[in-house]
Structure formats: C-alpha cells, structure tokens
Amino acid sequence: MEILWVLMALIMISIVLLPVLRRRKGAVGLVSPDHPDAADPANYGFVREEELDIRMPGPDQDLLDVLDLVQRTQDYRAARQLLSGTDAGDEQRWQRVQAFAGAASLELRDRPGGVDEAPGGQWLRVWRAEQPKDAGGAAVHAEFLVQQAWRTATPGTDEFRIIMEEARAACGDAALLAPGDPVPYIIELSVARGLGYSQKEFEQVWLKILDRAPTHMGAHLAALQYWCEKWHGSRQLAYSFAEAAAARAPQGSLLAAMPLFAVFEHLPDVTLVSSFYQTEVVTKAVHGALHAVHAARPDDPMQAHVRHLLVFFLVRSERWAEAMDQLVRVDGHVGALPWSLADDPAAEFAVYRALAVAGYEANGGSPATLPH
C-alpha cells in the first residue's frame, strides 16, 4: 500500500510540476540552456532575459526618458510636463501615473531614509508641496499611497486601512483638480477593493468613470479585480462584467479581450486536465482577444497588456505559431500580467518564450518562417 501511495504521488508531481507539452509531430519539454536540443530564443532576435524591462508592458520612450531624468536629478518638473501634455482620457495617462507612482514607491522602499539620508521619492513630496494645484501631481500622489498600502501593509490591518483612507482622500483631491479626468476614480477602484466598498458604493465610482471614459481598458481591468471571486464578487459576476464590456465594445476596442482576463483571474491553482486550455470557455476568450488585437489601432497603449496574456494562454494551449506571433510584438518589456505576478517577471516570461520557440521548432518552424 505504501508503494502505491508513493507511485500515486510521483504521478501527481509529474503532472503538476513537470508538464510536457505535446504536439502532433513530437513533444516539447524544458531542458537546460546548454543542452544540445535546447531551442535558442536569441535566433529570433529576442532580448536577453537580463535585459528585459520589467517596468512597463510595452515601449513608451518618452516616459522612460523622463523617469530616468527625474530619478537621476530628483527634479519632478519633467514628470509634470509629460503628464500635462497627456490627454486626460488617454490610456497612456493612466499608465504614466502608475509608472511615476511606482517609481517613487520603489525608491522609498530601497531608501527609507535616516539621520543623514533623505528618503527615496523625495521628488514627489516636493512636487506636491510646490504645486498643490497640479492635477498630475495629485493623481500620482494618490496612486503612490495605494501602491504603498499594497506593498507595505497587510489588507485588513489598521495600518493598511489608514493608508487606504489617506489614498481615498487623495483621490478626492485629485478629482477636484481635474473634473473631467477619469484617472482619480480609476485609482479609487483599488481603494474600493482594499477597503471593501459595498457594491452600491463601488458602482457609484464606476459610473463616474463611465461618464468620463466609457471604453477605458485600464479602468475595466481595475474594476474586474473587485468583481473577482477572490475579492468582493464571484466567478459569475466577474464573467458577466467582462462579457458585458466585450459585448458593448465599439469596433477597434480592446474591451473585446476582457473575457480572457476574467478567465485568467479564475484559473484553478492546479490544472490536472491537460486539455483545460482547449476548453470552449478558454478558446472563446482567446479568440475574442486575438480579434481585439487585430482590430485595434497599432499604437493603442493597451495592446501589449492583451498580447502578453495571449502569450500565456497560447503557449498553454500549444498554439505555438500564434504564440510566436505575439512574442515578436511584445518582446523586450514584461511589466504586465501574468509575468508581473511572479517574483522574477523576466524569468517567468523567458520560460514561456523558450517553450514557444521549442514548440514552434518542433513543428517545423524556424526564424526564416516567422513573419515579423
């Protein structure tokens, strides 16, 4: 009997921890990089793992240049100028607010300050002190507080609630400074999740966003979190929210990809059925997301978010050529789901990229046959 239990345990481990992705023309598995059978992502011009940018999902050179300048000089003025020149309803404004807030938060984490050293992120404090009526600085400060709450405190504790209450007040201040800007209310969606707003309270915030930017993809992704089973909703509520957004999405909108994000948020912790990623629910959501990225304008800043998640699902679904098609469009930046959930986002992305390359080559693909 003990031997039987050992055998069963070994089988379970092989299923869960050592998945082998099979295709009609052979099998694909992970081997060490120096193995003679290892596929080399570098042959496709992909960026080396250690050079992958984990800060953003896709390129935004203006933001990178400003971030570098602000952090090097500790002068906020370039950040203020960039945000003031970014349209309020643009997805890019929300991403840039997140990036500036995240930079300040990580600076503070790395340099908490002391007797002889100023704390990191001092440029944001100076920004708020010198420009108290600046809407961009107010939004960055509100998002900074939200990120600080999630990064430094445990949900449900007094410390977490105190920071989140401060963030809620900061969202209100930012909203007063920019009445038509949806960003302060998008930030408040995270506050709503952390403080456990009632559904009625949450929907009041959501309606303010819809009044200002009804097709804002970033806002929908933030709202989806609230409706998920792990927070204040359920699988059914999250799916309903995502499907309703996709159904009313105008032509060219990435909202058609929302069901794929809902599926991702409700993936089982352990998938023992190898065909799970070929089920109707997953396949339908993947097709919706593929249609969305094909129809969206090439410079849509949310394209990369959808493409990164598609890489995850296409690799799991053993659709190697389609996964490679997404990879050539997002490689170089990995600051997006699902990689951002990992302790080492670059390494996680690199594993899936290597699997895609190996599967592609196992089925006759090569750098010469991959369209760019």
Side-chain angles (χ1 to χ4, degrees), residues 202-246:
F202 182 87
E203 287 171 352
Q204 288 174 345
V205 178
W206 182 239
L207 287 174
K208 292 175 182 177
I209 294 170
L210 292 182
D211 286 342
R212 291 160 175 80
T215 61
H216 199 291
M217 181 72 172
H220 280 78
L221 292 178
L224 177 64
Q225 290 292 314
Y226 177 89
W227 294 114
C228 284
E229 190 173 61
K230 61 187 175 185
W231 286 106
H232 308 293
S234 65
R235 180 190 299 266
Q236 181 179 357
L237 286 171
Y239 277 29
S240 295
F241 175 80
E243 289 164 1

Side-chain angles (χ1 to χ4, degrees), residues 32-117:
S32 62
D34 57 350
H35 192 283
D37 292 334
D40 188 358
N43 292 337
Y44 295 83
F46 291 144
V47 174
R48 294 169 60 89
E49 179 183 331
E50 59 269 24
E51 296 174 357
L52 290 168
D53 191 326
I54 65 172
R55 296 171 295 179
M56 297 184 299
D60 184 346
Q61 194 58 49
D62 288 341
L63 174 60
L64 287 178
D65 291 343
V66 170
L67 270 174
D68 177 67
L69 179 62
V70 169
Q71 294 188 299
R72 181 162 39 84
T73 65
Q74 292 294 294
D75 187 332
Y76 68 86
R77 285 176 293 181
R80 182 192 181 202
Q81 183 178 7
L82 183 64
L83 282 184
S84 66
T86 308
D87 291 342
D90 197 316
E91 301 275 0
Q92 202 167 49
R93 181 176 175 83
W94 167 229
Q95 293 189 13
R96 287 172 171 176
V97 166
Q98 286 183 299
F100 287 131
S105 179
L106 291 175
E107 279 186 40
L108 182 59
R109 181 198 65 183
D110 296 339
R111 300 196 310 276
V115 177
D116 300 320
E117 181 186 30

Side-chain angles (χ1 to χ4, degrees), residues 137-343:
V140 173
H141 178 239
E143 173 64 16
F144 166 81
L145 291 170
V146 167
Q147 293 195 27
Q148 280 295 98
W150 292 111
R151 184 170 283 124
T152 65
T154 303
T157 63
D158 289 342
E159 180 186 7
F160 181 85
R161 177 167 289 277
I162 289 170
I163 301 174
M164 276 298 189
E165 290 288 359
E166 186 179 355
R168 172 154 60 178
C171 287
D173 293 341
L176 288 174
L177 292 171
D181 189 353
V183 169
Y185 298 104
I186 299 173
I187 298 170
E188 192 176 354
L189 294 178
S190 187
V191 176
R193 178 161 53 94
L195 293 180
Y197 281 24
S198 69
Q199 292 187 6
K200 183 178 180 180
E201 290 174 312
F202 182 87
E203 287 171 352
Q204 288 174 345
V205 178
W206 182 239
L207 287 174
K208 292 175 182 177
I209 294 170
L210 292 182
D211 286 342
R212 291 160 175 80
T215 61
H216 199 291
M217 181 72 172
H220 280 78
L221 292 178
L224 177 64
Q225 290 292 314
Y226 177 89
W227 294 114
C228 284
E229 190 173 61
K230 61 187 175 185
W231 286 106
H232 308 293
S234 65
R235 180 190 299 266
Q236 181 179 357
L237 286 171
Y239 277 29
S240 295
F241 175 80
E243 289 164 1
R248 66 172 181 268
Q251 179 65 27
S253 170
L254 287 168
L255 290 178
M258 284 298 299
L260 188 64
F261 287 87
V263 170
F264 176 77
E265 293 295 343
H266 294 86
L267 288 176
D269 291 335
V270 176
T271 305
L272 298 180
V273 181
S274 61
S275 60
F276 172 80
Y277 290 91
Q278 287 88 35
T279 59
E280 182 180 356
V281 171
V282 174
T283 300
K284 183 179 178 181
V286 167
H287 286 168
L290 285 169
H291 171 75
V293 294
H294 290 153
R297 71 178 198 272
D299 63 342
D300 190 317
M302 296 301 292
Q303 277 251 27
H305 287 274
V306 180
R307 292 189 186 280
H308 277 291
L309 198 61
L310 275 169
V311 170
F312 172 86
F313 277 98
L314 291 169
V315 168
R316 290 294 190 99
S317 302
E318 305 173 28
R319 296 165 64 168
W320 312 115
E322 290 170 290
M324 292 292 287
D325 184 52
Q326 301 305 317
L327 280 167
V328 297
R329 289 167 168 77
V330 298
D331 189 71
H333 300 271
V334 295
L337 288 175
W339 331 119
S340 58
L341 299 178
D343 292 335

